[in-house]
């Protein structure tokens, strides 16, 4: 029955519901009503997942007003027990407690009345538990929540390159400054550079390899990896050291960036 649910509810491009869950934690999925201690009172909630790309800059204020929020299609949303916000998910009570957002960025789920953890993975091809944002919510009736992801691409303020001549390797040290206002989740840097032969390549730390120009043009903006397990205060200066298995003659500072996100959870309405 679970296998049938997976194929009916989740598109094949997502790799199947079990693939998305395989690294998230110890999860028990129930196809029907279940009882853990006392059966919870069940209600329905609507979750909207939205995103805004704030572009490139060396310095953001963090309260920019020029942006457009767009719906996120295919985001994985889970209703979890309250402890999941600090310890990671331990169970899902029913199959209706998770789903993917539609073209409008929305999904309707069952949820127990009271306190629980809402978990959202806006890019579920990243299956690491660190890629799931967590927020504590409280529900008394049918409610709608909006989870807004604001992506900032920080250009480096400082660049230092140390080339090891004995091996085709460059140790790149990058200094960044987080947007001043708010708190932020930090991701994996993307570095664009010239080789000594004049070729342009992109190195993404999350992929762990350099990409040639044609592939780099498709992957420069796409699918940044963000770690949602810890957030950092605005204005913080952070340093990233990356080992590139290649000789980098020149780092392009305006195309090299560190992705960071500010996430806002809003309750839109109660019914």
């Amino acid at each position: 029955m679970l296998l049938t649910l997976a194929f009916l509810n989740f598109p094949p491009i997502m790799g199947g519901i079990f693939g998305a869950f395989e690294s998230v934690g110890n999860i028990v999925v129930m196809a029907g009503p279940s009882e853990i201690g006392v059966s919870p009172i069940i209600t329905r909630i609507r979750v909207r997942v939205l995103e805004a790309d704030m572009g490139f800059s060396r310095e953001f204020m963090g309260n920019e007003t020029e942006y457009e929020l767009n719906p996120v299609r295919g985001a994985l949303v889970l209703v979890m027990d309250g402890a999941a916000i600090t310890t990671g998910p331990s169970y899902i009570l029913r199959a209706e407690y998770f789903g993917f957002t539609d073209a409008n960025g929305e999904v309707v789920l069952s949820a127990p009345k009271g306190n629980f953890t809402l978990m959202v993975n806006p890019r579920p091809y990243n299956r690491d538990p660190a890629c799931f944002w967590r927020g504590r919510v409280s529900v008394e009736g049918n409610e709608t929540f909006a989870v807004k992801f604001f992506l900032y691409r920080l250009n480096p303020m400082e660049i230092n390159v140390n080339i090891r001549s004995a091996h085709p390797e460059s140790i790149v040290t990058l200094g960044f400054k987080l947007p001043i206002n708010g708190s932020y989740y930090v991701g994996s840097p993307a570095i664009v550079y010239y080789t000594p032969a004049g070729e342009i390549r992109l190195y993404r730390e999350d992929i762990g390899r350099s990409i040639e120009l044609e592939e780099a043009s498709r992957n420069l903006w796409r699918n940044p990896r963000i770690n949602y397990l810890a957030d950092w205060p605005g204005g913080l200066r952070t340093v990233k050291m990356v080992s590139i298995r290649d000789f980098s003659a020149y780092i392009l500072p305006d195309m090299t960036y560190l992705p960071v996100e500010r996430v806002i959870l809003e309750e839109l309405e109660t019914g």
Side-chain angles (χ1 to χ4, degrees):
M1 185 173 182
L2 285 176
L3 186 59
T4 302
L5 284 171
F7 281 108
L8 287 176
N9 292 309
F10 306 104
I13 59 170
M14 304 311 297
I17 185 62
F18 298 109
F21 289 152
E22 65 183 5
S23 299
V24 178
N26 298 319
I27 298 175
V28 177
V29 182
M30 302 293 185
S34 65
E35 185 171 314
I36 298 181
V38 178
S39 297
I41 300 175
I42 303 300
T43 185
R44 302 288 281 176
I45 63 170
R46 183 184 303 273
V47 180
R48 295 176 183 168
V49 182
L50 305 168
E51 65 180 356
D53 195 319
M54 310 302 290
F56 290 86
S57 179
R58 286 174 179 78
E59 252 185 301
F60 284 101
M61 292 300 297
N63 57 2
E64 286 78 10
T65 58
E66 295 296 323
Y67 61 84
E68 180 181 359
L69 279 168
N70 297 304
V72 180
R73 182 175 185 173
L76 176 58
V77 182
L78 306 98
V79 171
M80 305 299 298
D81 65 294
I85 195 167
T86 54
T87 64
S90 58
Y91 58 81
I92 300 176
L93 300 181
R94 300 169 60 177
E96 295 86 352
Y97 275 42
F98 59 83
F100 290 99
T101 54
D102 60 17
N104 297 317
E106 296 186 353
V107 62
V108 177
L109 302 173
S110 295
K113 282 190 176 182
N115 299 323
F116 59 85
T117 298
L118 194 64
M119 296 181 64
V120 180
N121 187 337
R123 310 169 187 98
Y125 38 80
N126 287 331
R127 299 173 181 177
D128 191 310
C131 296
F132 285 75
W133 175 85
R134 298 159 169 81
R136 191 71 176 268
V137 298
S138 179
V139 169
E140 294 302 325
N142 299 328
E143 284 153 278
T144 298
F145 296 94
V147 185
K148 301 176 180 179
F149 293 83
F150 294 84
L151 174 65
Y152 297 81
R153 301 173 190 269
L154 304 181
N155 293 131
M157 305 187 76
E158 301 172 5
I159 301 175
N160 183 49
V161 181
N162 181 16
I163 296 178
R164 296 181 177 179
S165 57
H167 306 281
E169 184 179 32
S170 302
I171 307 299
V172 181
T173 304
L174 305 168
F176 302 94
K177 182 181 179 181
L178 298 186
I180 295 175
N181 297 291
S183 60
Y184 298 86
Y185 301 95
V186 177
S188 300
I191 301 172
V192 180
Y193 63 95
Y194 279 107
T195 67
E199 300 172 327
I200 299 179
R201 292 179 181 170
L202 165 68
Y203 180 86
R204 286 187 50 159
E205 187 183 41
D206 54 325
I207 299 175
R209 64 182 179 91
S210 293
I211 301 171
E212 300 296 335
L213 179 60
E214 182 179 351
E215 189 177 356
S217 63
R218 300 193 303 267
N219 283 276
L220 178 63
W221 291 80
R222 185 182 299 172
N223 305 338
R225 181 186 175 93
I226 306 293
N227 184 337
Y228 296 112
L229 293 184
D231 59 341
W232 304 93
L236 182 72
R237 291 183 179 270
T238 182
V239 175
K240 291 286 185 178
M241 182 178 292
V242 180
S243 176
I244 302 176
R245 295 178 182 176
D246 196 1
F247 289 129
S248 56
Y250 177 71
I251 305 293
L252 279 69
D254 292 335
M255 298 183 71
T256 294
Y257 69 91
L258 177 71
V260 302
E261 275 187 332
R262 177 167 57 98
V263 184
I264 296 177
L265 171 64
E266 294 181 352
E267 183 178 345
L268 299 182
E269 60 190 53
T270 301

